[in-house]
């Protein structure tokens, strides 16, 4: 399974010298308690480290420079325990190149009516301190996250946790390398990717290789390595011979496992974590990679079919955000337009990610009517039920746009005995009609990333970090 660096987040508390040394010591102590309790909550995927109480412009500037420089730090969390004159924050905040979360909270979750006095008020000024600080972030167009509420509440801790995942994905985005075997499917518009723009805005490196380079790598895969994968496959999935002879079935599966290992070695050698294939460009390959691609997606690799580099990068990015869980490359496949049944059936020719399966996937071998190659082995399964989101990345002359909607995910009403592919049914929460019109109006493509693990807010936060447009259809 692909993994990411061990990141941490740095936490600083804003204050000033006006109230004396004792108050500053108390601010530091309280901040340490807040950070300790957040870490102990068990909700945060990445540790928070309390660094300091910030009282001067020079200190804040030095701190932000260190954050930028340190690769282990994914972002900054700030809290204004007292009033912190925000002119102090201008230079440092302008220099900050990593995600920023303003935790607008207060040490106590109530007003202590019986004991409150001016000493208390000198120390606890979040109510107005957050406004002063937030003004500068707004004026600098930081697009930072604001989490508002009591730091000890579980919903607030969840918000911080989900933002951490987005911030780490943002950091990792600048390391994503996409390997495109062949070009985009001929004549198709919506899957086209501007490689230079993707690198400038999203940090992705997008490289092309002729499929012949890949065939060379696949041809080098040893039979013993394929044997081992075949054994693993039998452990994790149900092998269904169907109408094939035993020899035909095993041959087809072994071809896919050889492609799986060959692609994986090729990607590892170049440091790639996402890839595309194109059924129009399979010269020298015995089969369109089906099972091969599905196993790579299971391992955490991003993927886009028909040369779709945008979906390849986006699926890798969202898999990072989702810790490789329940997040899959998807395509709008066919529709149920009957009143009361309105839904989209999502699938692909072969390449549906088993991370969303609700049952043990079956390995099956069936002919494919396009591509003119051998019958490919693929994983067949039914998707899951529950709340999910569907996301796509569109590109226009004026930039990238993340388009998404929350959906109700369901299982198909019946089996499809003559369509042996993995399937996921869903209905946009906005309704099929309204959701689809908005999607089409905004130029959203048919390829998307479908996730049971992520939320609309996270997609919106991600778009803000990149400074790109986000359309949430609700
Ligand atoms: Mn497709």
């Amino acid at each position: 399974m692909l993994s990411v660096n061990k990141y941490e987040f740095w936490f600083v508390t804003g204050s000033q010298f006006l109230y004396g040394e004792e108050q500053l010591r108390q601010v530091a102590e309280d901040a340490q308690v807040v950070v300790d309790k957040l870490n102990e909550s068990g909700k945060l995927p990445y540790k928070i480290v309390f660094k300091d109480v910030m009282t001067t412009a020079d200190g804040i500037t030095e701190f932000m420079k260190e954050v930028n420089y340190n690769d282990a730090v994914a972002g900054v969390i700030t809290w204004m325990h007292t009033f912190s004159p925000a002119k102090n924050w201008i230079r440092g905040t302008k220099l900050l190149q990593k995600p920023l979360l303003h935790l607008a909270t207060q040490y106590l979750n109530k007003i202590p009516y019986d004991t409150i006095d001016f000493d208390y008020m000198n120390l606890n000024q979040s109510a107005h301190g957050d406004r002063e600080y937030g003004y500068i972030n707004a004026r600098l167009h930081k697009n930072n996250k604001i989490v508002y509420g009591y730091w000890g509440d579980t919903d607030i801790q969840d918000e911080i946790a989900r933002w951490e995942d987005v911030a780490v994905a943002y950091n990792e985005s600048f390391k994503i390398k996409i390997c495109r075997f062949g070009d985009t499917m001929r004549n198709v518009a919506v899957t086209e990717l501007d490689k230079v723009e993707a690198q400038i805005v999203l940090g992705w490196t997008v490289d092309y290789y002729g499929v012949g380079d890949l065939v060379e790598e696949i041809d080098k895969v040893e039979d013993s390595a394929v044997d081992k994968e075949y054994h693993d496959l039998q452990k994790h999935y149900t092998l269904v011979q169907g109408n094939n002879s035993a020899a035909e079935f095993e041959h087809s599966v072994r071809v896919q496992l050889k492609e799986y290992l060959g692609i994986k070695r090729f990607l590892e050698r170049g440091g790639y974590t996402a890839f595309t294939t194109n059924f129009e460009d399979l010269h020298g390959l015995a089969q369109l990679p089906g099972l091969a691609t599905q196993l790579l997606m299971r391992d955490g690799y991003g993927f886009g079919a028909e040369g779709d580099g945008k979906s390849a990068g986006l699926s890798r990015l969202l898999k990072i955000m989702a810790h490789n869980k329940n997040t899959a490359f998807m395509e709008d496949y066919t529709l149920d337009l009957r009143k009361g049944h309105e839904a989209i059936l999502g699938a692909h020719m072969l390449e549906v990610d088993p991370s969303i399966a609700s049952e043990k996937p079956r390995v099956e071998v069936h002919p494919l009517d396009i591509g003119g190659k051998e019958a490919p082995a693929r994983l067949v399964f039914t998707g899951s039920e529950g709340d999910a989101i569907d996301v796509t990345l569109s590109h226009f002359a004026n930039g990238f746009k993340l388009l998404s909607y929350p959906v109700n995910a369901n299982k198909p009403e019946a089996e499809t005995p003559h369509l042996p592919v993995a399937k996921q049914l869903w209905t946009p929460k906005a309704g099929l009609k309204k959701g689809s019109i908005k999607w089409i109006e905004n130029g959203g493509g048919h390829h998307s990333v479908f996730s049971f693990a992520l939320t609309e807010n996270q997609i919106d936060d991600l778009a803000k970090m990149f400074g790109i447009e986000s359309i949430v259809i609700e």
Side-chain angles (χ1 to χ4, degrees):
M1 187 73 85
L2 290 177
S3 59
V4 301
N5 286 354
K6 215 173 161 206
Y7 284 101
E8 60 188 38
F9 289 83
W10 282 2
F11 187 106
V12 282
T13 307
S15 194
Q16 59 175 320
F17 288 112
L18 190 62
Y19 318 111
E21 288 294 331
E22 198 188 322
Q23 298 282 25
L24 287 176
R25 266 197 302 278
Q26 193 61 47
V27 167
E29 261 178 50
D30 291 351
Q32 188 67 60
V33 169
V34 168
V35 168
D36 287 347
K37 290 273 160 62
L38 286 174
N39 285 325
E40 288 162 17
S41 74
K43 287 186 172 294
L44 303 187
Y46 303 92
K47 190 174 74 168
I48 302 178
V49 180
F50 172 55
K51 296 303 281 187
D52 215 344
V53 177
M54 308 311 284
T55 52
T56 66
D58 285 348
I60 292 165
T61 302
E62 281 313 302
F63 169 75
M64 296 298 187
K65 280 155 73 174
E66 212 180 316
V67 167
N68 285 341
Y69 178 77
N70 191 326
D71 286 340
V73 181
V76 171
I77 301 174
T78 53
W79 172 37
M80 299 306 121
H81 193 324
T82 70
F83 198 86
S84 178
K87 282 157 104 182
N88 287 345
W89 291 85
I90 292 174
R91 178 66 178 147
T93 304
K94 271 183 82 179
L95 291 177
L96 178 66
Q97 294 170 315
K98 291 186 180 175
L100 172 64
L101 184 151
H102 171 197
L103 179 58
T105 192
Q106 185 174 271
Y107 190 68
L108 280 187
N109 65 347
K110 61 182 180 187
I111 300 164
Y113 288 105
D114 291 349
T115 55
I116 191 166
D117 57 13
F118 281 110
D119 281 346
Y120 177 90
M121 281 316 305
N122 281 343
L123 186 61
N124 297 280
Q125 302 181 333
S126 306
H128 45 288
D130 283 325
R131 264 64 170 176
E132 164 72 4
Y133 172 68
Y135 164 73
I136 281 302
N137 291 335
R139 185 153 172 181
L140 294 175
H141 303 290
K142 283 308 277 187
N143 281 333
N144 59 291
K145 178 76 173 175
I146 301 167
V147 172
Y148 187 93
Y150 182 55
W151 55 273
D153 288 344
T154 53
D155 59 329
I156 297 303
Q157 294 168 353
D158 283 334
E159 273 189 67
I160 298 169
R162 285 194 292 269
W163 174 83
E164 280 192 344
D165 281 332
V166 180
V168 164
Y170 173 82
N171 278 271
E172 285 287 313
S173 195
F174 295 86
K175 296 183 205 165
I176 288 178
K177 289 181 72 180
I178 302 166
C179 175
R180 299 178 76 239
F181 296 115
D183 196 11
T184 317
M185 183 180 165
R186 281 182 280 284
N187 296 316
V188 174
V190 75
T191 46
E192 204 58 64
L193 171 66
D194 180 331
K195 298 194 280 289
V196 174
E197 189 68 8
Q199 190 148 11
I200 292 171
V201 177
L202 306 168
W204 303 347
T205 302
V206 188
D207 293 333
Y208 157 85
Y209 289 91
V211 75
D213 294 336
L214 173 60
V215 170
E216 255 179 46
E217 189 74 48
I218 291 170
D219 286 345
K220 280 191 266 179
V221 174
E222 318 78 18
D223 285 345
S224 57
V226 175
D227 292 342
K228 188 185 165 297
E229 288 301 329
Y230 204 96
H231 184 72
D232 277 2
L233 203 69
Q234 285 170 316
K235 262 197 301 191
H236 295 110
Y237 305 110
T238 308
L239 275 59
V240 181
Q241 188 184 318
N243 294 328
N244 309 279
S245 72
E248 279 168 354
F249 180 83
E250 187 174 333
H251 168 78
S252 179
V253 172
R254 291 183 70 93
V255 165
Q256 288 288 334
L257 293 176
K258 206 167 168 175
E259 289 183 349
Y260 164 64
L261 291 168
I263 297 171
K264 194 170 186 175
R265 288 177 190 178
F266 193 102
L267 298 177
E268 279 171 356
R269 195 151 41 81
Y272 296 101
T273 52
F275 71 106
T276 67
T277 58
N278 180 354
F279 68 90
E280 288 178 336
D281 199 347
L282 297 175
H283 193 80
L285 286 176
Q287 298 174 11
L288 173 65
L291 175 62
T293 295
Q294 291 174 298
L295 294 178
L296 284 158
M297 293 191 281
R298 173 205 64 185
D299 293 346
Y301 287 88
F303 173 73
E306 292 102 45
D308 181 356
K310 283 192 301 218
S311 293
L314 184 65
S315 56
R316 174 60 196 146
L317 185 61
L318 298 193
K319 274 174 177 289
I320 293 169
M321 209 189 286
H323 300 263
N324 286 323
K325 288 195 188 91
N326 309 98
T327 299
F329 168 69
M330 190 53 70
E331 174 174 297
D332 296 87
Y333 215 51
T334 190
L335 302 171
D336 196 332
L337 294 173
R338 295 172 300 154
K339 307 288 181 218
H341 297 258
E342 292 96 338
I344 297 170
L345 183 73
H348 209 266
M349 285 190 297
L350 305 173
E351 309 93 335
V352 186
D353 187 325
S355 80
I356 58 166
S358 62
E359 59 190 3
K360 191 176 184 181
R362 305 180 297 279
V363 180
E364 298 187 15
V365 175
H366 302 275
L368 193 65
D369 290 336
I370 59 175
K373 295 283 172 177
E374 283 180 9
R378 83 289 306 266
L379 292 173
V380 180
F381 58 86
T382 300
S384 298
E385 293 174 310
D387 292 327
I389 60 167
D390 197 33
V391 190
T392 195
L393 181 66
S394 295
H395 185 241
F396 299 85
N398 63 351
F400 288 105
K401 189 194 292 190
L402 269 173
L403 181 63
S404 59
Y405 45 39
V407 306
N408 294 312
N410 285 299
K411 291 179 183 173
E413 290 176 19
E415 293 296 319
T416 56
H418 306 291
L419 184 70
V421 295
K423 291 173 285 287
Q424 172 70 56
L425 195 79
W426 72 86
T427 307
K429 290 195 177 177
L432 177 64
K433 185 185 175 89
K434 187 186 161 201
S436 297
I437 287 175
K438 286 278 173 202
W439 190 281
I440 295 167
E441 248 175 19
N442 279 288
H446 56 291
H447 285 170
S448 59
V449 181
F450 196 87
S451 178
F452 289 90
L454 303 173
T455 66
E456 291 299 314
N457 275 336
Q458 287 180 297
I459 302 304
D460 213 39
D461 287 345
L462 181 69
K464 278 185 189 156
M465 287 178 196
F466 284 120
I468 64 175
E469 193 181 352
S470 165
I471 309 263
V472 177
I473 303 167
E474 304 212 71

